[in-house]
Amino acid sequence: MEVQQGGAPAPAAELVVSLREFTLSDADAEAFMSWASDPRVVRFQRRDAYEHVDQARRYIADHVLPHPWYRAICAGAGAPLPVVGSISVKPGPAEDGRLFRASVGYRVAHAHWGRGVATRAVRAAAEAVFAAWPWLLRLEAVADVENPASQRVLEKAGFVREGVLRKYILLKGRPRDMVMFSIVVDADTDRRRQQNKPDGP
Amino acid sequence: MEATATPRTQEEVKAGTAKVTVGEVTLRKFELSDVDAMMAWASDPEVAAFCRWEPYESTKPLLAFLRDTVLPHPWFRAICVSGAVVGAVSVSPTSERCRRELGYVLARAHWGKGVATAAVRRALRDVFADLEPEGLRRVEALVDVGNPASQRVVEKAGFRREGVLRRHYWHKGRARDMVMYSLLSDDPLPE
């Protein structure tokens, strides 16, 4: 038996993750329910768990489709790849009418946790919005202090941890401490200041 | 002007220099007749340097600001020393009901005497008394990384430093790095 010397773990089987826009199809609404109805996933979201697929249908029509940047996370095997989560990037808030910041949020169905889906989706979304929005100087994300899995996703996706902001956001009526992360464009070099982390789930 | 300012103390406070005691610094609501006193700092380029606004050249736009922004504002107070208006302190709503943002500005003649620190301490006591019933739990202050004097003001007022938010704030044509500070409703207020 080989003895691991330490260093990089054995590479995981290649995981395909892609992003696409949502549609008004029944299939997308049902896929949406796989995370939106799960208390384990919505625990760190503002919204309560959905109970009926009509709620998902309405949310996709009223909120997702008009959103500046909202994508379905597709991962796994098969063609087309199944929808296992969602990721969205919200521009702003603007200051003095000026857009230069945006914030990213994501959710993945519980069955697909722990395999690097979220990390790949966040990396892909960051690449996409920095390319699509030349005005973007700062992409930020917050993770609840009691959500270390999400903090690890952001670190592996190249975000820099900036600090814990106490009682920063109301989650289901209670003020929560949140860890703030960001990727920024360097003021001097125009290159992105993010951390270098080895690849891996 | 928004009271997002940050005085730069030019000189160290020497040992034995009399500091303004907390008792002499009071807060009250603004009135339109305060516009002339406001011009003392609103027209000062050194004060304006770390603020979003350019120095005012006449009282007319300042009066408009007083009437349209200050008077209807949910929490905006004049800083008074022995009854004279020398600055302003505000606590402004954010996108979250549990947190608001501190801003303050002080005429340069009153820098380096502890006035800003005393005014901020008083403001925090008053704003939590007024707004904690409405859900306020956090007052935050964002201070430019290049403004150590203002960082000292909020630190002495009891704020806790949480980290640097990079390129977080748009200021006069550039996205600046800001130090984030917070004081919670159940943090001790130093006295």
Side-chain angles (χ1 to χ4, degrees):
Chain A
M1 181 156 62
E2 270 188 281
V3 174
Q4 285 279 9
Q5 299 279 9
E14 190 55 50
L15 173 70
V16 178
V17 175
S18 64
L19 307 181
R20 67 153 168 86
E21 299 200 17
F22 273 95
T23 68
L24 287 168
S25 65
D26 288 343
D28 276 7
E30 275 150 29
F32 201 95
M33 286 299 282
S34 70
W35 62 86
S37 64
D38 189 338
R40 292 167 299 189
V41 178
V42 303
R43 177 182 166 206
F44 293 115
Q45 289 188 263
R46 294 178 204 266
R47 252 180 304 121
D48 290 318
Y50 281 175
E51 292 177 356
H52 195 277
V53 69
D54 280 346
Q55 290 173 284
R57 217 172 259 129
R58 210 166 19 244
Y59 188 81
I60 292 172
D62 297 346
H63 182 82
V64 172
L65 293 190
H67 193 282
W69 206 95
Y70 208 118
R71 298 289 183 271
I73 302 173
C74 305
L81 284 179
V83 174
V84 302
S86 73
I87 184 160
S88 51
V89 184
K90 184 175 169 190
E95 277 181 12
D96 290 343
R98 184 89 186 208
L99 269 181
F100 64 102
R101 301 184 290 198
S103 60
V104 57
Y106 62 90
R107 319 92 218 157
V108 174
H110 188 263
H112 299 273
W113 287 9
R115 296 190 300 138
V117 171
T119 302
R120 283 167 175 77
V122 171
R123 269 202 214 116
E127 289 297 327
V129 296
F130 273 111
W133 299 335
W135 48 263
L136 186 60
L137 299 176
R138 172 184 174 87
L139 180 65
E140 65 183 34
V142 291
D144 198 290
V145 291
E146 289 180 9
N147 195 347
S150 189
Q151 294 165 38
R152 275 195 300 277
V153 164
L154 293 168
E155 281 164 351
K156 285 186 289 186
F159 283 68
V160 172
R161 182 186 170 113
E162 293 176 329
V164 174
L165 308 189
R166 305 176 302 154
K167 295 215 164 75
Y168 193 65
I169 286 182
L170 279 169
L171 228 56
K172 300 182 167 62
R174 292 178 53 233
R176 302 290 304 168
D177 294 356
M178 307 295 285
V179 188
M180 174 67 84
F181 292 86
S182 74
I183 296 175
V184 298
V185 174
D186 189 273
D188 300 321
T189 67
D190 260 353
R191 282 194 287 122
R192 249 170 276 160
R193 279 195 275 148
Q194 59 191 86
Q195 43 187 24
N196 294 316
K197 283 267 171 176
D199 268 297
Chain B
M1 103 220 96
E2 304 164 50
T4 53
T6 44
R8 269 176 304 184
T9 308
Q10 299 292 352
E11 67 271 327
E12 295 292 313
V13 176
K14 302 181 184 64
T17 303
K19 276 201 172 184
V20 178
T21 63
V22 172
E24 289 180 68
V25 175
T26 55
L27 307 181
R28 65 158 171 79
K29 289 188 180 170
F30 271 99
E31 291 150 15
L32 289 173
S33 55
D34 291 325
V35 65
D36 292 320
M38 289 176 87
M39 272 303 274
W41 69 80
S43 59
D44 186 341
E46 285 221 35
V47 173
F50 276 108
C51 299
R52 281 197 220 251
W53 38 272
E54 296 302 323
Y56 284 74
E57 292 174 1
S58 75
T59 54
K60 192 156 168 244
L62 191 55
L63 199 58
F65 172 75
L66 191 49
R67 188 190 57 230
D68 301 335
T69 300
V70 174
L71 295 189
H73 191 282
W75 213 95
F76 210 116
R77 298 288 183 271
I79 300 172
C80 301
V81 171
S82 303
V85 176
V86 300
V89 59
S90 60
V91 180
S92 299
T94 68
S95 56
E96 292 288 324
R97 208 166 46 91
C98 58
R99 72 179 142 99
R100 298 204 180 202
E101 186 183 337
L102 175 79
Y104 61 90
V105 60
L106 196 61
R108 195 151 38 111
H110 297 272
W111 289 5
K113 301 183 208 164
V115 174
T117 302
V120 167
R121 281 203 195 124
R122 178 132 297 161
L124 292 169
R125 206 178 357 258
D126 291 352
V127 82
F128 278 124
D130 293 347
L131 296 177
E132 196 177 352
E134 289 178 35
L136 180 65
R137 294 291 175 271
R138 169 188 175 92
V139 173
E140 60 189 26
L142 286 104
V143 184
D144 198 291
V145 293
N147 198 334
S150 191
Q151 292 167 31
R152 278 195 297 276
V153 166
V154 297
E155 284 162 10
K156 284 189 290 182
F159 280 77
R160 190 181 306 183
R161 181 187 170 114
E162 292 174 330
V164 173
L165 303 195
R166 305 170 305 154
R167 311 216 76 186
H168 189 261
Y169 183 83
W170 193 264
H171 180 256
K172 291 180 175 159
R174 296 196 298 160
R176 302 282 305 165
D177 294 356
M178 307 295 283
V179 187
M180 173 67 94
Y181 291 90
S182 72
L183 191 80
L184 303 188
S185 53
D186 48 19
D187 281 345
L189 270 177
E191 197 50 61

